């Protein structure tokens, strides 16, 4: 592999500047260096080799771009590749694309219409998060889609989204703060909730339960969650994060570590916890 800067003329004979990585059989666009053009053309070839990858963060934070034209050589788009490109209004992604990375179009608030690649199987985590799409926005999902990952449309606002019948899995929080979905799948409130919905809780007395609902509470700028935990045929509410030592823990070690971090970073939660215990919130 060799890395270098290159100038590529577009169809208007404008110079587009890139840093690229060249491999034996293909080229990766690593970084877009221009900032004066509103229309970008992804080159099909560089040095007679197909440009198959738009790399991670390649077009990160280029609000001047209003349109992107892809060649049919592109096979994947990297993580956060077009993050914060707030000027882009339409995307027509070629069917050659098989993979789109995490948060690839996060905070692209200008989007109004997107046609996804026909053979894409997974909408990755945070793909269109914080896009705040208009109610008349249209996202055309592929008919081969199988999974919609966590936060794919987080804070996407309330447009309508048609889910293909091929979809087998929709992750927790996929539509949190996001679209109204039209689907043949049985409705699951987890789509509009967030972590730790569905997590297993172990209490100090040995009882085990599953987080089955989340209510958000707060006083001033201090915010927390009340977790409804289903234990057999009964339900119990608990305060998150735990403000009393060893009352409960998450079975998943990573989830328990996340709670410990939240406890350490939010000492002011004790006041909110006491208010909850006394029925004030």
């Amino acid at each position: 592999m060799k890395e270098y800067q290159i100038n590529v003329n577009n169809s208007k004979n404008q110079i587009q500047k890139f840093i690229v990585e060249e491999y034996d059989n293909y080229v990766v666009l690593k970084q877009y260096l221009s900032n004066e053009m509103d229309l970008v053309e992804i080159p099909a070839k560089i040095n007679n080799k197909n440009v198959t990858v738009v790399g991670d963060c390649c077009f990160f934070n280029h609000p001047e771009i209003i349109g992107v034209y892809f060649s049919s050589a592109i096979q994947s788009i990297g993580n956060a590749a077009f993050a914060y490109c707030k000027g882009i209004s339409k995307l027509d992604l070629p069917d050659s694309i098989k993979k789109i990375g995490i948060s690839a179009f996060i905070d692209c608030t200008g989007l109004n219409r997107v046609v996804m690649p026909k053979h894409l199987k997974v909408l990755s985590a945070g793909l269109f998060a914080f896009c705040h799409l208009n109610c008349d926005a249209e996202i055309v999902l592929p008919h081969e889609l199988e999974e919609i990952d966590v936060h794919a449309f987080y804070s996407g606002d309330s447009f309508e989204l048609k889910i293909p019948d091929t979809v087998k899995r929709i992750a927790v929080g996929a539509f949190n703060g996001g679209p109204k979905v039209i689907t043949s799948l049985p409705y699951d409130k987890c789509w509009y909730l967030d972590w730790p919905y569905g997590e297993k809780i172990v209490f100090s007395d040995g009882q085990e339960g599953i987080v089955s609902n989340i209510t958000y509470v707060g006083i001033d700028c201090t915010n927390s969650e009340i977790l409804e935990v289903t234990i057999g045929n009964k339900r119990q509410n608990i305060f998150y994060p735990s403000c009393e030592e060893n009352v409960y823990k998450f079975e998943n070690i990573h989830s328990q570590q996340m709670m410990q971090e939240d406890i350490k970073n939010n000492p002011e939660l004790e006041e909110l916890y006491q208010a909850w215990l006394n029925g004030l919130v």
Side-chain angles (χ1 to χ4, degrees), residues 52-55 73-78 96-101:
T52 61
V53 180
V54 177
I74 291 293
Q75 297 178 15
S76 70
I77 294 174
S96 56
I97 295 175
K98 303 296 194 302
K99 181 181 178 182
I100 301 177

Side-chain angles (χ1 to χ4, degrees), residues 54-73:
V54 177
D56 295 351
C57 301
C58 181
F59 291 90
F60 186 92
N61 196 23
H62 277 274
E64 78 280 1
I65 298 173
I66 62 172
V68 183
Y69 300 95
F70 296 84
S71 81
S72 58

Side-chain angles (χ1 to χ4, degrees), residues 32-258:
Y32 176 66
L33 300 176
S34 302
N35 55 24
E36 67 279 3
M37 283 177 281
D38 56 6
L39 298 176
V40 171
E41 295 177 11
I42 306 297
K45 291 180 179 289
I46 290 177
N47 289 342
N48 292 319
K49 297 177 182 178
N50 285 343
V51 177
T52 61
V53 180
V54 177
D56 295 351
C57 301
C58 181
F59 291 90
F60 186 92
N61 196 23
H62 277 274
E64 78 280 1
I65 298 173
I66 62 172
V68 183
Y69 300 95
F70 296 84
S71 81
S72 58
I74 291 293
Q75 297 178 15
S76 70
I77 294 174
N79 299 337
F82 293 91
Y84 305 100
C85 288
K86 298 175 183 289
I88 299 174
S89 61
K90 295 181 181 180
L91 286 170
D92 194 347
L93 300 172
D95 294 336
S96 56
I97 295 175
K98 303 296 194 302
K99 181 181 178 182
I100 301 177
I102 294 170
S103 302
F105 302 107
I106 191 171
D107 213 336
C108 288
T109 53
L111 285 175
N112 194 55
R113 176 176 165 80
V114 180
V115 178
M116 301 298 289
K118 186 180 296 183
H119 306 296
L120 191 71
K121 303 291 187 185
V122 179
L123 293 189
S124 60
L127 184 60
F128 294 105
F130 300 105
C131 282
H132 304 293
L133 302 172
N134 294 327
C135 61
D136 61 347
E138 184 180 16
I139 307 291
V140 181
L141 299 183
H143 289 294
E144 295 181 17
L145 188 68
E146 296 179 357
E147 296 185 32
I148 301 176
D149 213 341
V150 61
H151 293 167
F153 292 93
Y154 186 86
S155 288
D157 284 351
S158 56
F159 66 102
E160 288 190 347
L161 180 68
K162 186 175 181 179
I163 307 297
D165 292 339
T166 52
V167 172
K168 302 172 183 176
R169 172 184 171 267
I170 299 176
V172 172
F175 308 129
N176 193 340
K180 173 186 176 182
V181 297
I182 302 169
T183 177
S184 60
L185 292 170
Y187 172 81
D188 192 330
K189 63 184 176 184
C190 84
W191 302 343
Y192 292 94
L193 292 175
D194 215 329
W195 182 90
Y197 180 89
E199 290 283 323
K200 190 172 184 179
I201 296 285
V202 180
F203 292 90
S204 57
D205 62 2
Q207 292 191 91
E208 298 179 350
I210 300 294
V211 178
S212 52
N213 204 0
I214 301 172
T215 304
Y216 302 95
V217 295
I219 296 177
D220 297 327
C221 294
T222 304
N223 299 292
S224 188
E225 300 169 356
I226 306 303
L227 309 182
E228 176 192 84
V229 181
T230 298
I231 309 166
N233 59 0
K234 67 176 183 178
R235 293 184 176 92
Q236 177 179 335
N237 287 339
I238 59 176
F239 188 90
Y240 177 89
S242 177
C243 288
E244 292 186 40
E245 192 172 355
N246 299 324
V247 172
Y248 68 86
K249 65 179 181 180
F250 289 96
E251 182 183 62
N252 182 281
I253 294 174
H254 177 65
S255 296
Q256 181 64 17
Q257 291 172 341
M258 289 174 65

Side-chain angles (χ1 to χ4, degrees), residues 1-6 19-30 45-51:
M1 183 271 289
K2 59 181 179 180
E3 180 178 312
Y4 54 90
Q5 182 176 330
I6 189 170
I19 293 176
V20 302
E21 294 175 345
E22 183 179 335
Y23 295 84
D24 290 341
N25 299 313
Y26 66 96
V27 173
V28 175
L29 296 185
K30 185 174 182 181
K45 291 180 179 289
I46 290 177
N47 289 342
N48 292 319
K49 297 177 182 178
N50 285 343
V51 177

